[in-house]
Amino acid sequence: MKAFQMLFVLLLAAAAEGQSLHFGKCPRPPVQQDFNVAKYMGTWYEIEKLPSLFEKGTCNQATYSLLSDGTVKVLNAELLSNGKINSIEGVAKVKNSTQPAILDVSFFKGVPDSPYWVLSTDYQSYSLVYSCTDYYGSFHIDFAWILARTRLLNKEVVSQLHDELVSAGVNINNLLVSDQAGCEQSKAKINERPIIGILTQNSRYLPPNSKGYIASSYVKFLESGGARVVPIMVNREAEEYKRLFNSINGILLPGGAANITSSGYQRASKIFYELAIEANKRGDYFPVWGTCLGYEQLTVLTSGKKLLTRTNTNGMSLPLLFTKEAKQSRMFKSFPAELMEALASEPLTENSHKWSVSVLSHNTNKDLKNFYKNRVCVNRGSIRLPDLWDTVAPGEESVMSTFYTAHFFVNEARKNFHTFESKEEERSALIYNYNPVHSPPNSGFEQKYIF
Ligand SMILES: *[C@@H]1O[C@H](CO)[C@@H](O)[C@H](O)[C@H]1NC(C)=O
Ligand SMILES: *[C@@H]1O[C@H](CO)[C@@H](O)[C@H](O)[C@H]1NC(C)=O
């Protein structure tokens, strides 16, 4: 009974995954004569395969290397849709030296080895691999791969290998063609050196001749996620902003107290916002981030209205209230589950707001509702930057939330490929050209860049 149930579950699982399942025992097709494992080493690209549950990406490839004990190190890699490489390492062994083309591969400890039979190979262009496992002596599941030294294999060779599979008893109608298109370019699909602009703002608390400031915590925030920072000065020519837009990979509109309907902050935000929308329409991915005032500024730019509600949450720590849609948020998906629980139940976010955009405004203003997904923290919360040491020291979970948030935004900026026209221009734009200063007590931010 137990065995039957187990078999039934296995059958269901295999059928659901679209694997090749057959009644009867595994066939025993002939293998490559005088197989030379050393000549087989190196990289092989997957051309076709019988569906396998372990592979979900594209650009699948396997790299084999001979280890000193005669076993083979296996490194399988594929490209996932998010641009990341998924790889897995295993070891292959010849079971019986009289049959060197019959190997066993193991990827995880405790999981049974899988057979790896090299049915035929010329070592330098193609290889045909078969793997079959018997279950309870009554059915079997098999896999097959057509591999090649290049990402494209001659059609005649493929058709010859199909014939070999047919005579081995494999149903070639189930073979899937592997996607090896654009694999070389996609290696460069991530910008390894993202640079993000942070908008400065004026404040009446700055020294008389100052042109603006940035709280250092915003710079550290982006640096913790792997980006470098360029300050964006207010009150510059639109042409200068346009040039800068084409040089950076994202923009952060920070919190503060600038006027969001009429100020240098508002004007620069509007220019970058409009350039970003235009660029994104062309497929030039350019992320825009707003924290606190920056977020309020974005809602004004989107709706053409100032939809703020008086809020008095000064120096308050609050938990976040997640909407139902939060589960679909790409940002929150990247947060560990424990952290999400902590954010929802503990007062981890810093709130120093005189104004807020209420859920009601979000839901009733058509422009906001159509443009933004209010998946997020509805509780007037903003992710705490490790800055307000005066009020309350950020605990570990706050620091982690900040990190995951930064990591998400910087990764978005990695999808943009704007660059400065020269290394010199990049060098002179970076925030490293300026020194932050320690602020006097109770001035809101512990450390600032004053320009
Ligand atoms: C290896 O294969 C040969 C030939 O099939 C067989 O005689 C021998 O017993 C096998 N050795 C082991 C260790 O299984
Ligand atoms: C922002 O600037 C406009 C135009 O100068 C002014 O009418 C408005 O009162 C200012 N808003 C705030 C909050 O100071």
Side-chain angles (χ1 to χ4, degrees), residues 259 261-262 306:
N259 187 319
T261 54
S262 167
K306 196 169 153 186

Side-chain angles (χ1 to χ4, degrees), residues 95-99:
K95 275 169 78 178
N96 183 331
S97 60
T98 66
Q99 293 169 308

